[in-house]
Amino acid sequence: MVNLIWVFMAAGGIIFAMFNGTMANVNEELFQTADDAVMLSISLMSVLVFWLGLMKIAEKAGLLELLARLFRPLIKRLFPDIPDDHPAMGYILSNISANLFGLGNAATPMGIKAMEEMKKLQPDSDQASRSMITFLAINTSSVTLIPTTVIAIRMKYESIAPTEIVATTIVATLISTLGAILVDRFFYSLRERRIK
């Protein structure tokens, strides 16, 4: 559906430009935007490599394991139907740790593995489990302490204070994650009442 919306918007813009006589401007902007996207991707690559390297150092130093132990009681309450020793728990904790440091790109593979492991807990069902839905809600809203990608973009475009968004980001992501958990629990309890 989203693909159709994008195609409709692009085609509508091009058709409008043809009838409006601004096709040359559209072509110029298309190529300029494509150039900007490539340059931004290259500049972000260095920042992501830096933070992924720090993440690897933190992992080797045991910081991620410490975070995992710190968050395990909370994660166990959020995902009560996943056994303690199940591999999904490790992937969930790694995903949340990566998101804490603003490494959404690094968190994605761990999130996919967590979903695959949770799927193994109910192999005969085509529906998402309670844990899968909760994880998706938390992963989408994810608390972020250091928004590395946004800071990198602000640095690329020469912001005077690229890191001044850190406090706002922490507050906004805490609120969004809390909201996601509350909505998830609300709909879960509503569904449970309907089943009974």
Side-chain angles (χ1 to χ4, degrees), residues 9-193:
M9 287 172 54
I14 291 169
I15 291 168
F16 180 78
M18 284 176 12
F19 286 114
N20 199 22
T22 56
M23 197 62 189
N25 294 347
V26 170
N27 285 336
E28 187 179 322
E29 286 301 316
L30 277 174
F31 289 113
Q32 181 60 43
T33 304
D35 184 50
D36 287 349
V38 170
M39 293 308 291
L40 183 61
S41 297
I42 290 169
S43 67
L44 285 178
M45 198 180 310
S46 61
V47 173
L48 283 174
V49 166
F50 171 75
W51 283 105
L52 285 171
L54 277 182
M55 191 77 158
K56 205 67 174 160
I57 291 168
E59 183 182 354
K60 295 282 185 194
L63 181 62
L64 291 183
E65 184 60 37
L66 178 72
L67 278 172
R69 264 188 266 129
L70 182 71
F71 287 117
R72 190 170 289 278
L74 175 65
I75 297 302
K76 188 61 194 147
R77 289 188 61 112
L78 289 171
F79 304 97
D81 48 343
I82 298 177
D84 278 338
D85 58 344
H86 197 273
M89 276 298 195
Y91 287 119
I92 289 169
L93 288 164
S94 296
N95 174 275
I96 289 172
S97 298
N99 278 326
L100 276 174
F101 293 107
L103 299 170
N105 294 339
T108 300
M110 292 177 262
I112 292 169
K113 288 297 285 178
M115 285 293 200
E116 288 172 356
E117 291 297 328
M118 284 186 274
K119 181 67 182 149
K120 289 178 185 175
L121 291 171
Q122 55 163 26
D124 300 330
S125 176
D126 287 339
Q127 291 187 339
S129 68
R130 172 188 181 190
S131 294
M132 292 168 92
I133 294 167
T134 301
F135 177 67
L136 184 62
I138 292 170
N139 187 48
T140 304
S141 62
S142 69
V143 173
T144 304
L145 300 178
I146 306 166
T148 53
T149 306
V150 178
I151 291 171
I153 291 170
R154 289 171 59 96
M155 288 170 71
K156 161 88 171 90
Y157 288 105
E158 300 172 4
S159 171
I160 295 168
T163 58
E164 94 182 344
I165 59 159
V166 171
T168 309
T169 301
I170 292 170
V171 171
T173 57
L174 276 171
I175 291 169
S176 69
T177 302
L178 183 61
I181 292 168
L182 290 173
V183 168
D184 173 64
R185 289 300 181 241
F186 172 75
F187 281 108
Y188 176 73
S189 64
L190 203 65
R191 184 175 156 247
E192 287 298 301
R193 272 190 238 136

